[in-house]
Amino acid sequence: MTQTLGRATGLTPQDRVTTWLADFEAALAAGDIDRAVAKFATDSLWRDLVAFTWNIKTVEGRDQIADMLGERLEGTEPSGFRIHEEATEDGGVVSAFIEFDTAVGRGIGHLRLKDDQAWTLLTALAELKGHEEPKGPSRVLGAVHGSDPDPRSWAEKRQAEDESLGYTTQPYALIVGGGQGGIALGARLRQLGVPAIVVDKHERPGDQWRKRYKSLCLHDPVWYDHLPYLPFPQNWPVFAPKDKIGDWLEFYTRVMEVPYWSKTTCLSASFDDNTKTWTVEVDRDGERVTLRPTQLILATGMSGKPSMPTLPGQDVFAGDQHHSSAHPGPDAYVGKQAVVIGSNNSAHDIAKALYENGVDVTMVQRSSTHIVKSDSLMELGLGDLYSERAVAAGMTTEKADLTFASLPYRILHEFQIPVYNAIRERDKDFYDRLAAAGFELDWGDDDSGLFMKYLRRGSGYYIDVGASDLVADGKIKLAHGQVDRLTEDSVVLADGTTLPADLVVYATGYGSMNGWAADLIGQDVADKVGKVWGLGSDTTKDPGPWEGEQRNMWKPTQQENLWFHGGNLHQSRHYSLYLALQIKARHVGIPTPVYGLAEVHHLS
Amino acid sequence: MTQTLGRATGLTPQDRVTTWLADFEAALAAGDIDRAVAKFATDSLWRDLVAFTWNIKTVEGRDQIADMLGERLEGTEPSGFRIHEEATEDGGVVSAFIEFDTAVGRGIGHLRLKDDQAWTLLTALAELKGHEEPKGPSRVLGAVHGSDPDPRSWAEKRQAEDESLGYTTQPYALIVGGGQGGIALGARLRQLGVPAIVVDKHERPGDQWRKRYKSLCLHDPVWYDHLPYLPFPQNWPVFAPKDKIGDWLEFYTRVMEVPYWSKTTCLSASFDDNTKTWTVEVDRDGERVTLRPTQLILATGMSGKPSMPTLPGQDVFAGDQHHSSAHPGPDAYVGKQAVVIGSNNSAHDIAKALYENGVDVTMVQRSSTHIVKSDSLMELGLGDLYSERAVAAGMTTEKADLTFASLPYRILHEFQIPVYNAIRERDKDFYDRLAAAGFELDWGDDDSGLFMKYLRRGSGYYIDVGASDLVADGKIKLAHGQVDRLTEDSVVLADGTTLPADLVVYATGYGSMNGWAADLIGQDVADKVGKVWGLGSDTTKDPGPWEGEQRNMWKPTQQENLWFHGGNLHQSRHYSLYLALQIKARHVGIPTPVYGLAEVHHLS
């Protein structure tokens, strides 16, 4: 056996990965799928980001791997597998970053070997041959040296483009939504030379953040949040306040030269199966414009549309009622009484700001919530990849993203459970105090904690930046159960508890992202593509069957030429690359046969 | 002798630097200046950036070094000299980056040994103890974790500061001029917590670039141009167009949270010797405001005020006349005739744009000009420090700046002459063609080329980005000599040549930067501080005596609490650090005894 031999002869991790890659490549080159598959362990997982499958797809176990290679080996023509950095070994698992080529592109990835068999393999397309991004050594010159046949200045050319794009010329791609997702993708498409427009309803880029409740800060730290090409500066705060992020996004849009239509609302969109193009009606600051893009990307916020509960008495309540997404902050309610319905991130942030501004505030907890202190999450959850410590140890954003992506979702919870066990131990006193105050805690269905909750359901947690102490101390009051009704001046719970209120904030979450597709294109298309986000983990709010990847995100959907994009800043950064490469390939006519297009199991 | 011993025993460069530093430090610690000075070669040069001298000062030879140490050793308390990176040897010269401490700060620097004696030593203050910038591991948190005693959001705090600074609170420093110099310094002072305002006459930051002639691009490449904290992204052009730089500066100002007053003109300034503060009257968009800063920094452009020649007939000339700084570009002159007076950078840029837009253009060369092709300058002049090649070899901006700063001006030309000899060889055909077209070429008084011309006189050259071919081909016409007069429709030269003209552009340069001080504060103060820029090299337009450093730049002047700042993007980046540290030290009351305050030898 190869692995026994390897062990016996004391091969280095480097040797072992090199040998594996050489054997694997030889099998692929010979078209010998059985031999290639035999290089994988029986419980192996191969995650592919667009390199082999033109999809975001994890194949699990030898049968699925064989099936995928049977479909895609011939067209992919993989070659040149090699180690990118020194391989390492830890606990019997040998790991290495790798590089490889395909017929049309260059790929990077990551390999883990157990007993000299592949346990996890990540293959990710990095760039398309002949369509490399102009950056670093290939960056554009800017000034034209020598006599210039086009005497227009950069500003004049930009202005001419702005005036024609969407009118006399059509964008190949239309991105609806100009938050971090839309502009990160817009920046990448710009770099790749794909004509694209980002449209957004707000007045300025960044208003998506500026217009939220005033105490909002990022809950993810700066090292996790860099956008493509332009990292935050070294004096950027760990947790940026919302207005500062807003300014950055505005800056970023301009610097990256992303064509961006502000004050623009999409009215309708329809796909023509014959011409394979969309017809999208938009209102651009009062002007009606018809756009005819080939690709339509919804980057309208991972959260979907606000979920506003319908409750008896909402019509008679005399105070103010806001969904959390529209809550302006505490200033108008000083000295008054507020009820915040919900107990996740927004509920805590809003309740904290209300309390600190002299509002009497009660939080209504309807179901248990997972709480993690921000510093514990930073140190134990993200620290190895995204922290100043990681930077000092040579961890780049690209390597961190690849490492993060290299753990298939099927086994990710196994890596998360010990992290949250350690956090539970570390912060025991904190959790005891919260529980003593009556706060109902959970750690996810399988104790896998915050990140798995985020991936599975996008809700059910609070990253504590101080509100939990206020809850534990009784400064933010706590109530429990469902809301039965509102009266003119109170919120009445199912058990009859009456909470006097001048303000009710519904921190009640959001619907599925395909709700936006329903509004824009029609319920038939929303149903055709189905639920967005979630893994099919068969846990609370993430029904099975198992999907293996996020539903519908950054990959082809059941609706031709319709895509979903977004997520937190990390996802907007990393996955915009794969979406941009898929769109670029289609733009230049590179064949993109999709392997394993996901079926739809849930409508929303 | 130490050096003989070192040679004989085959010590590594690392050993030799370590030994030198240990001996040097021991001598300093013992207060034994003679012993310390004996560590230097007789032709040695010690360049200090604020670390020992609270000045920007090069002391030359053992006597000057002894004098400086005699004045400053006791107060500086230098210690902890150590190598920062592996020492190297090249051609008998051992080089190393070093680090050290002083009583009040931490320093970095660079050492060159010849025969185990110091040939060049750079000592540069990097930060003040107890006043380190919050960045990297010490960056601010942003969000306040735990209950926040100040419930205002970041945006509200910023707004409150904007409303009070300059009205109910006074800035410690006032920076006049908001180009790259002003905002780079503004960003550093912000980081250091020094209350400062940048005032500028334009509508928006970046207008200093936007409002120049439309074909303007940077002539320095991107690697040379990064501003502090926030480097340009990897997709930034090599030579950025003016409007793109303008946008970058505008957003840089915002991202760095630099207090910046647009549309603000300084009307007058006067210094009170008793209170040691300035009274500065400004017009802020129509509102009269009196500011009372302690430190006043003129960052009004290194070029000083435009030099507009007075010529007979200017009043009867029927066409348009612009100084180059106010020339709008070719658009209004298509099909007409233009005369550009001058043959340096702006003259070439403007003539090229005029020609390319169908204007008949003649350039009047009044004296010989130094021409270097941009790509030759990039490859041979800057490539080792500022290029994609340098980045790939591990050269950071900080290391490049330190290396650049480590060559004292006294010997810099010796390093430059071989570079320009190589360029002259490489581009021989190009220069022959230019000469054949009648263009009068020079290479500087001592053949040391472009960079020394820039440092000595800030003029006399063109970095060729295409105009020279147009000159060589006769497409941009050439005339020679001084201008005698203008008529209603022509420019008449001293030899009687008559050049028909609808447009005359005076690319005739700028006065000394202390001209701004004359306007703002008074001729007496302008005369007191004297000429700004130049080295006293006793070459054309840079009269002696030798100064050793740039006159009046980034260092104390003969007018207490008056400073000059600016230069190209490289200088604005690097030297803003030393100016900011000098101002910060004064702000917090750290003693700053200035060694070797420069005398004034020229008024302008």
Side-chain angles (χ1 to χ4, degrees), chain B residues 28-345:
Chain B
L28 294 180
D32 189 340
I33 291 175
D34 287 346
R35 209 170 103 207
V37 169
K39 301 295 300 173
F40 288 82
T42 51
D43 64 345
S44 57
L45 301 140
W46 180 347
R47 184 166 196 227
D48 182 62
L49 306 176
V50 185
F52 281 68
T53 61
W54 290 107
N55 197 352
I56 292 183
K57 182 78 185 170
T58 299
V59 282
E60 305 185 351
R62 290 177 171 178
D63 289 350
Q64 288 188 18
I65 291 171
D67 186 73
M68 187 276 278
L69 283 176
E71 291 276 335
R72 292 296 309 134
L73 177 56
E74 196 170 332
T76 305
E77 296 178 40
S79 67
F81 285 89
R82 57 203 179 270
I83 294 188
H84 178 53
E85 291 195 6
E86 196 69 21
T88 58
E89 176 161 8
D90 183 20
V93 177
V94 171
S95 301
F97 291 104
I98 63 170
E99 294 179 325
F100 61 96
D101 294 290
T102 70
V104 301
R106 295 180 194 88
I108 52 179
H110 188 274
L111 174 67
R112 285 186 188 84
L113 299 179
K114 271 184 183 172
D115 292 330
D116 289 323
Q117 286 189 315
W119 174 37
T120 67
L121 174 62
L122 171 73
T123 48
L125 189 63
E127 62 184 3
L128 294 166
K129 292 176 184 171
H131 306 283
E132 296 82 359
E133 296 185 14
K135 62 185 181 186
S138 64
R139 67 177 80 217
V140 299
L141 198 60
V144 175
H145 289 186
S147 194
D148 190 349
D150 183 347
R152 294 176 303 166
S153 71
W154 171 84
E156 288 168 331
K157 290 177 198 166
R158 288 281 289 125
Q159 190 186 339
E161 183 194 351
D162 281 347
E163 286 168 3
S164 70
L165 190 63
Y167 298 92
T168 56
T169 61
Q170 284 300 320
Y172 181 73
L174 179 67
I175 302 166
V176 182
Q180 65 264 17
I183 65 169
L185 180 62
R188 290 199 188 273
L189 291 177
R190 181 86 187 166
Q191 269 293 102
L192 286 165
V194 177
I197 301 176
V198 178
V199 297
D200 191 274
K201 66 184 176 188
H202 296 93
E203 290 195 2
R204 296 191 284 152
D207 279 353
Q208 302 85 356
W209 286 91
R210 291 191 194 94
K211 298 205 169 173
R212 299 293 307 279
Y213 53 93
K214 79 169 191 177
S215 61
L216 178 64
C217 289
L218 290 190
H219 289 218
D220 291 324
V222 57
W223 310 280
Y224 191 69
D225 298 334
H226 298 302
L227 288 174
Y229 313 117
L230 185 63
F232 292 108
Q234 59 188 166
N235 58 356
W236 195 258
V238 178
F239 301 103
K242 71 178 176 78
D243 295 283
K244 197 166 166 69
I245 280 286
D247 286 353
W248 181 267
L249 294 180
E250 181 173 3
F251 284 108
Y252 182 88
T253 305
R254 182 88 151 268
V255 166
M256 292 295 150
E257 304 180 18
V258 178
Y260 191 104
W261 289 11
S262 291
K263 296 187 250 184
T264 299
T265 309
C266 283
L267 305 172
S268 68
S270 61
F271 187 67
D272 184 325
D273 280 313
N274 294 316
T275 64
K276 305 292 185 192
T277 57
W278 293 91
T279 298
V280 184
E281 298 288 336
V282 308
D283 177 316
R284 186 184 189 186
D285 197 15
E287 175 197 9
R288 186 76 169 256
V289 185
T290 303
L291 297 171
R292 302 188 188 284
T294 303
Q295 307 292 344
L296 179 63
I297 301 102
L298 298 187
T300 42
M302 66 175 292
S303 303
K305 297 163 65 180
S307 291
M308 187 79 168
T310 304
L311 295 167
Q314 282 176 320
D315 53 337
V316 301
F317 181 70
D320 290 346
Q321 302 176 69
H322 310 137
H323 187 269
S324 61
S325 59
H327 171 64
D331 294 351
Y333 307 99
V334 176
K336 298 190 173 177
Q337 293 178 300
V339 172
V340 177
I341 298 170
S343 56
N344 290 342
N345 257 334

Side-chain angles (χ1 to χ4, degrees), chain A residues 9-325:
Chain A
T9 55
L11 290 174
T12 64
Q14 191 81 354
D15 295 334
R16 294 165 68 185
V17 171
T18 304
T19 301
W20 191 94
L21 290 174
D23 289 353
F24 181 57
E25 177 160 350
L28 295 180
D32 189 341
I33 291 175
D34 288 346
R35 210 170 103 208
V37 169
K39 302 297 298 174
F40 288 81
T42 52
D43 64 345
S44 56
L45 301 140
W46 180 347
R47 185 168 196 226
D48 182 62
L49 306 176
V50 187
F52 281 67
T53 61
W54 289 107
N55 198 352
I56 292 182
K57 182 79 184 168
T58 298
V59 283
E60 306 186 351
R62 288 179 172 176
D63 289 350
Q64 288 188 17
I65 292 170
D67 186 74
M68 186 275 279
L69 283 176
E71 291 276 335
R72 293 296 309 136
L73 176 56
E74 198 168 331
T76 305
E77 296 178 38
S79 67
F81 285 88
R82 56 202 180 272
I83 294 188
H84 178 54
E85 291 195 5
E86 195 72 21
T88 58
E89 178 163 4
D90 183 21
V93 177
V94 171
S95 302
F97 291 103
I98 62 169
E99 294 179 324
F100 61 97
D101 295 288
T102 70
V104 301
R106 294 180 194 89
I108 53 181
H110 188 274
L111 175 67
R112 285 186 187 84
L113 299 179
K114 270 185 185 171
D115 293 331
D116 288 324
Q117 285 188 314
W119 172 39
T120 67
L121 175 62
L122 171 72
T123 50
L125 190 64
E127 63 183 2
L128 293 165
K129 292 176 183 170
H131 306 283
E132 294 82 1
E133 295 184 15
K135 62 185 181 186
S138 65
R139 68 177 82 218
V140 300
L141 198 60
V144 175
H145 289 185
S147 193
D148 190 347
D150 183 347
R152 294 176 304 166
S153 72
W154 172 84
E156 289 168 329
K157 288 177 198 166
R158 287 282 290 127
Q159 189 184 342
E161 184 194 350
D162 281 347
E163 287 168 2
S164 70
L165 189 63
Y167 298 94
T168 57
T169 61
Q170 283 301 319
Y172 180 73
L174 179 67
I175 301 166
V176 181
Q180 65 265 18
I183 65 170
L185 180 62
R188 290 201 188 270
L189 291 177
R190 181 84 186 168
Q191 269 292 102
L192 285 165
V194 177
I197 301 176
V198 178
V199 297
D200 191 275
K201 66 185 176 188
H202 296 93
E203 290 195 5
R204 295 191 284 152
D207 279 352
Q208 302 85 358
W209 286 91
R210 291 190 194 95
K211 298 203 169 172
R212 298 293 307 280
Y213 53 92
K214 80 171 192 177
S215 61
L216 179 64
C217 289
L218 289 190
H219 289 218
D220 292 324
V222 57
W223 310 280
Y224 191 69
D225 299 333
H226 297 302
L227 288 175
Y229 313 117
L230 185 63
F232 292 108
Q234 59 189 163
N235 57 356
W236 195 258
V238 178
F239 301 103
K242 71 180 176 78
D243 295 283
K244 195 166 167 70
I245 279 286
D247 286 353
W248 181 267
L249 293 180
E250 185 175 2
F251 169 40
Y252 184 88
T253 304
R254 182 87 153 268
V255 165
M256 292 295 151
E257 304 181 18
V258 178
Y260 191 104
W261 289 11
S262 292
K263 296 188 247 182
T264 299
T265 309
C266 283
L267 305 173
S268 68
S270 60
F271 187 66
D272 184 324
D273 280 313
N274 295 315
T275 63
K276 304 293 184 192
T277 57
W278 293 90
T279 298
V280 184
E281 298 289 334
V282 308
D283 177 316
R284 186 184 189 186
D285 198 14
E287 176 198 8
R288 185 77 169 257
V289 185
T290 304
L291 297 171
R292 300 187 189 284
T294 302
Q295 309 292 345
L296 179 63
I297 300 101
L298 298 188
T300 42
M302 66 173 295
S303 305
K305 296 162 65 179
S307 291
M308 187 79 169
T310 305
L311 296 167
Q314 283 176 320
D315 53 338
V316 302
F317 181 70
D320 290 345
Q321 302 176 68
H322 309 138
H323 187 268
S324 61
S325 60

Side-chain angles (χ1 to χ4, degrees), chain B residues 488-499:
Chain B
E488 191 180 346
D489 57 2
S490 71
V491 174
V492 182
L493 303 183
D495 67 357
T497 303
T498 298
L499 305 169

Side-chain angles (χ1 to χ4, degrees), chain A residues 220 345 370-372 377 416 420 443-444 448-456 459 461-464:
Chain A
D220 292 324
N345 257 335
H370 175 49
I371 308 275
V372 186
L377 181 66
Q416 295 288 309
Y420 288 87
W443 294 81
S448 60
L450 186 138
F451 192 61
M452 294 311 302
K453 272 204 170 188
Y454 172 74
L455 292 171
R456 290 167 174 171
S459 65
Y461 52 81
Y462 167 56
I463 300 174
D464 178 41

